[in-house]
Amino acid sequence: MQETKKKSAREIIESYDGPKLRIMEVCGTHTHEIFRLGIRKILPKQIELISGPGCPVCVTPVGFIDEAVMLALEHHATVCTFGDLIRVPGTAKSLAVARSEGARVQIVYSPIDAVEYARKNPKEQVVFLSVGFETTTPASCLAVKRAKEAGLTNFSILTANKTMPNAYRTLKGSADAFLYPGHVNAITGTQLCEELARDHGISGAVTGFTASEIMTALAVVITKLQEGRDFFVNCYPRVVTKQGSKSAQTIMEELMEPCASEWRGLGIIPNSGVRLREAYIEYDAREHFHLPAVQGKPNPACRCGEVLQGKCKPSDCKVFGKGCTPLHPIGACMVSSEGACSAYYQYGGMENE
Amino acid sequence: MSKKVTLAHGAGGRQTSELIDQVFKAHFANPELTSDDAAVLTVDGAKLAFTTDGFIVSPAEFPGGNIGKLSICGTVNDLACMGAKPLYLSCAFVIEEGFPMDKLEEIVTAMEKTAAEAGVKIVAGDTKVAGKGQVDGVFITTTGIGRIQEGMETSGFKAKPKDAVIVSGDVGRHGCTILLARNEFGIEADVTSDCAPLWGTVKTMMDTTKNIHVIRDATRGGVGTVLYEIAEQSNVGIRLNAQDIPVADGVRGVCGMLGLEPLYLACEGRLVIFAPKEEAPALLETLRQGKYSANAAIIGEVTEDMPGRVVMRTEIGAETLLPPPGGELLPRIC
Amino acid sequence: MCVGLPAKVVTLKNGMAVVDASGARREVSAELLDELEPGDYVMVHAGIAIARITEEDKSETDRIMEEI
């Protein structure tokens, strides 16, 4: 092709021998894929990958599970949820345990399926556990809109939806650069990431999810970090545009309003979540069932919070691999297959020995 | 262990092993109690394989079979894995009050046909009817006995470093078929169960070579669970090439949608075979001519290092662990 | 964060699309994307087509590597 053959992404990664670099993959799906593909095995020692807080299951606080269990067992609601939340420990029990005690817990592929379930089972009160970031929130909005159009009075959502912008600011300094979550950016666009680089000194690259996309983004980040200027690169342009999805932004704006939100480990971050607006309040499960304020109590030995902030590695936690395993998880990071602890436990055994 | 039996205890993974070790083995331990697919017993000089299996599949009918066919295949295959020609089966039915008689007839017809194909006779049975709601449709338990063929000594404890690891066909079809048949996730795909009686397949392998270390029937828990069991029992490592593992397109698509690993989906007509490397090409050729094993493939090898672990060589050529079997298969969406 | 599945649009009707990913088909919401046509590729998350896919990952990453 050219006279001087360019280095491949892999060569750039493997041949790096500069100063120590800390790169945070914000997104849990990236964490999962990086382990599944064995990418950590080809990294030189000076490059540290930190698993960030981008797993909706991991950042969802204990109190949310307690609310879901209360809805299922005390209010006899049918709880519809993504599969990942089933085994997350609450203060007293998980949804899996609640199910073995007779709670109706349905695993769904989409929030829209939960609306369909409500339509077909008019005698049941159906609550969808609405977790997730900007990628997933539009699906919950579409579900609520459908329920309203169909005049359903037996459907509501329990919101714990999160938004990323203030989380990035909170995480500033935890890493030299971020691998941004491609599917969040598919919705939000890239303007915020550009601003973070320009105005806040936070560098990063939007990253896709195939092997070549992750390797390419890593190579780009390594190359740009060596150049020493703050940067932003969209390495996933086949899915992510500068504007993002206008229609998704519009429906979120129409149905949801910003609120303070509790992140497991990070605490309450102002303006880092969304909840239903007044016009849709009848679909808010907390209003619908008049739920009391719930304060969840995480297991004090669990260090998921620090893991999520990149302040400690899963293996630094005393209960990791001992009291806390994927079979008997103590913290949410051990439950979700996207969780850093679970990924370290399932895939990391080779490195730990 | 948590104090109540959960669905995960029946999923065939580590919780199932915990339950077996801590409850059943603790009370039943004796020299003949087996960790293989069937117990090997010597009775008056005859070497016999003996096994039992319960079937509670829902729905009872699915593309590629029904619970009747499954109940014969499961037990026949467990016997075949010990190198035993299946001879006699018994079957016990627990039927829910109100179960349609014609459905029962269909199930029994499938059993008759499958037993004939496997060359096994059903010689004893039991029938119980349970009140409405006490069981789901029909549950079947089959028990079987077979004669171990001269020169065959397969066991999960006999995998050796440098053995080739062979699967007799594409993985995860039965589990995927059942998942689709339950229609919980609104997904459609052209996938039929791999459910098949495999004595014929084992016979042709034996006719090729008797130098086979392990044959294991991958059922609940899938091929991945079998590999971890054998890595542990034989105290060896297993290295797989991710790209060599045969997966049907539809299965791959469904797994992509739900975030599942095909190696952990159930099979009902797939053997996992460990044999010395030099025997592998001939075995593979034999298998590929077989009715139920045309997609057989060598997927990896046994190693001395990393005992008890299954390592995957991934698409980028790096190595990573195959995550050990978990509990209940949960679709991963977010 | 969000498992995304690339899939091909097979049919479209009333804001819903049947998509195909390696032979697995499912109906998903197409409300967020305008002017979709059968044959287009979309990224699906939680039953919603969230974005159009405009290129193969290989040609995308080749181009990015040329540019840095």
Side-chain angles (χ1 to χ4, degrees), chain B residues 25-41:
Chain B
K25 276 195 187 159
H27 293 278
F28 297 159
N30 67 65
E32 275 84 28
L33 182 66
T34 184
S35 311
D36 277 311
D37 283 338
V40 174
L41 309 171

Side-chain angles (χ1 to χ4, degrees), chain B residues 68-87:
Chain B
K69 180 177 178 187
L70 206 59
S71 70
I72 302 298
C73 294
T75 293
V76 162
N77 295 350
D78 282 349
L79 296 173
C81 285
M82 306 317 293
K85 176 178 163 45
L87 299 172

Side-chain angles (χ1 to χ4, degrees), chain A residues 10 37 99 327 337 353, chain B residues 15 309 314 316 328 332:
Chain A
R10 184 171 186 151
L37 293 164
R99 183 176 59 182
L327 277 190
S337 56
E353 279 164 11
Chain B
Q15 275 134 310
R309 303 220 184 227
T314 71
I316 65 164
E328 186 189 353
R332 184 168 74 86

Side-chain angles (χ1 to χ4, degrees), chain C:
Chain C
M1 192 162 240
C2 321
V3 174
L5 180 78
K8 186 177 179 176
V9 176
V10 184
T11 57
L12 283 152
K13 201 176 160 189
N14 302 331
M16 297 298 281
V18 173
V19 298
D20 181 298
S22 310
R25 293 173 300 280
R26 196 192 191 277
E27 197 176 52
V28 302
S29 163
E31 289 156 274
L32 297 182
L33 300 178
D34 300 327
E35 294 166 24
L36 267 188
E37 282 177 31
D40 286 349
Y41 281 82
V42 291
M43 190 58 75
V44 175
H45 171 73
I48 315 284
I50 58 165
R52 198 186 306 267
I53 302 175
T54 54
E55 192 178 4
E56 296 265 321
D57 70 321
K58 179 80 171 69
S59 61
E60 172 199 67
T61 52
D62 284 351
R63 193 161 37 74
I64 290 167
M65 291 310 296
E66 275 302 310
E67 284 165 10
I68 61 165

